[in-house]
Amino acid sequence: MPKEQFHTNNWLFHRYGFSSVEILLSVALFSIIVFSFMVAYLYGEESSVLAGNRARAVLLAQEGLEAVRNMRDGNFDTLVDGSYGLAVATGTWIFSGSSDVTGIFTRTISIASLDANRKHVTSTVTWQQNAQRTGSVSLATRLMYWMKFAIGNWANPNTLASSVNISGNNDGLRVALQGNYAYLVRNGGTPNFAIINISNPSSTSLSGSLSLSGTPDRIFVSGNYAYIASSDNASELQVVNVSNPASPSLVGSYNASGNANAHGFFISGTRGYLVRDSSANDELIILDMSDPTTPALLGSLNLGNTGYQVAVVSSTAYIASSDNASELQVVNVSNPASPALVGSLNLAGNTDAITVATFSTRVILGQGSNMNIVNVTTSTSPALLGTYAAGGTVNDVFVGNDNTYVFLATANGANEFQVVNITTSTSPVLVGGFNAGGTLSGIAWDGSTDYAYGASADNSNEFSVFSP
């Protein structure tokens, strides 16, 4: 090395306090910091993927339980003890093999007898989280053969003093049940979403509440989440985490194109189905709900008119519509990216159909003051079987008691709550009714306790409990 360069470098080391060792240490420290950030980033990415996979597994497990419940409704004798997979044949769920596979997930349905008329059903979903770990989610329920049990005498229904008064004077709008809790939305006010403990129907109590933007309409509860169709133009679908009933929290939403209000929502497996007001934009929206906190658009369809409520069985969606020529619309959703209208039913008159429920090969459709029973054995050609006149607008319907009763929420001033026997589809008859003191907009029935729960316009009882 030339003498002048040596002196220059030596002067730099002394001038700025650097040495070869210090430079090496600095490089090593910098490498450690960069490596730490990379590890933290990769770990965060892995955690997000694991959380998303778990959410998808929960939805698939929930779908498994709903499928078995649907099979029970069709024929209890199909629930033979054992382990099974699920498949769809001619539009209905069937057992197939010992498990079924969806992407990375494997689902197994296990059935065990509690006695001759009760089954314990477990839906287990497993997947490979990474090379070292396997993920697993299990959900369980008990199913009864209701035809073998004596249901209470609904000829003289009554209301319990345990009904709940939510603060403010806004009406109760809809209600959904899951386990020991009821989930209520109201047409405004603070709060407009409430969770009610119904573990003891004779002593119900408010567990938690939340104020959501916009006006809620329909509510659907599955697993740890409540899904609310809303008038909010920035979040027509709102997702609430209800895992802690005392402290529900808004954790996700979906902003549909345009400003049309949403009215109904339904979850089937990992897909969500949203219907809304007629507008320049499509009225049926199909969403990927694999991660409930971030719904993603899969496809949509122009229905031509307002969709008020939707119910989905396998690959078919049934929609209560404002279309005067097709109050019931039938949509094939087997390909969510390209749903297709495949059938419809034109009911008498020009009154909108606003509520729908399904079971086996039947659809219950509320249109004006009529509750209609529709045969959908061939879903592309629905046929009217029978009609019951409720004497007031049928706002909501719930099928119960092994599909022999329909519980109605109506605007009949003398009988807002009604129970209708549909054993003979062509001749539905009133079992009993009750004057609830205000219009009922929502209704749900709990088969484990044989109580019904209503969302009411009665300002002192927005949440009402009905007993046989």
Side-chain angles (χ1 to χ4, degrees), residues 134-317:
T134 300
S136 179
V137 167
S138 291
L139 300 178
T141 190
R142 293 184 177 183
L143 298 179
M144 299 182 181
Y145 189 9
W146 278 104
M147 292 184 69
K148 296 291 184 66
F149 291 86
I151 192 173
N153 182 10
W154 283 99
N156 295 293
N158 209 330
T159 188
L160 299 182
S162 64
S163 299
V164 176
N165 179 19
I166 311 296
S167 61
N169 293 325
N170 293 90
D171 298 345
L173 195 58
R174 313 290 181 197
V175 63
L177 307 178
Q178 181 174 264
N180 290 326
Y181 295 93
Y183 303 83
L184 178 79
V185 290
R186 302 199 298 168
N187 65 358
T190 305
N192 54 10
F193 172 83
I195 301 178
I196 298 161
N197 189 323
I198 58 171
S199 55
N200 180 359
S202 298
S203 182
T204 57
S205 60
L206 182 66
S207 291
S209 62
L210 187 65
S211 293
L212 299 169
S213 58
T215 301
D217 198 327
R218 299 281 173 183
I219 178 173
F220 191 98
V221 179
S222 177
N224 290 329
Y225 299 96
Y227 304 88
I228 295 104
S230 171
S231 68
D232 189 327
N233 290 332
S235 54
E236 286 85 358
L237 175 65
Q238 298 171 335
V239 184
V240 177
N241 188 320
V242 295
S243 57
N244 179 1
S247 184
S249 60
L250 181 68
V251 294
S253 64
Y254 179 77
N255 181 14
S257 58
N259 295 323
N261 295 344
H263 292 294
F265 185 74
F266 193 95
I267 283 274
S268 179
T270 59
R271 296 175 187 169
Y273 302 83
L274 185 74
V275 289
R276 57 179 182 161
D277 276 338
S278 178
S279 71
N281 302 103
D282 291 349
E283 291 83 16
L284 171 64
I285 298 170
I286 304 177
L287 300 171
D288 180 358
M289 302 302 298
S290 298
D291 180 355
T293 64
T294 56
L297 181 66
L298 292 174
S300 62
L301 179 66
N302 181 5
L303 298 173
N305 281 277
T306 296
Y308 285 105
Q309 190 178 10
V310 56
V312 179
V313 177
S314 184
S315 59
T316 305

Side-chain angles (χ1 to χ4, degrees), residues 96-115:
S96 177
S98 58
S99 63
D100 62 89
V101 177
T102 301
I104 65 171
F105 303 98
T106 299
R107 177 172 56 194
T108 302
I109 304 297
S110 300
I111 297 177
S113 294
L114 297 172
D115 57 37

Side-chain angles (χ1 to χ4, degrees), residues 39 246 294 378 404 462:
V39 169
T294 56
T378 303
T404 60
E462 290 92 350

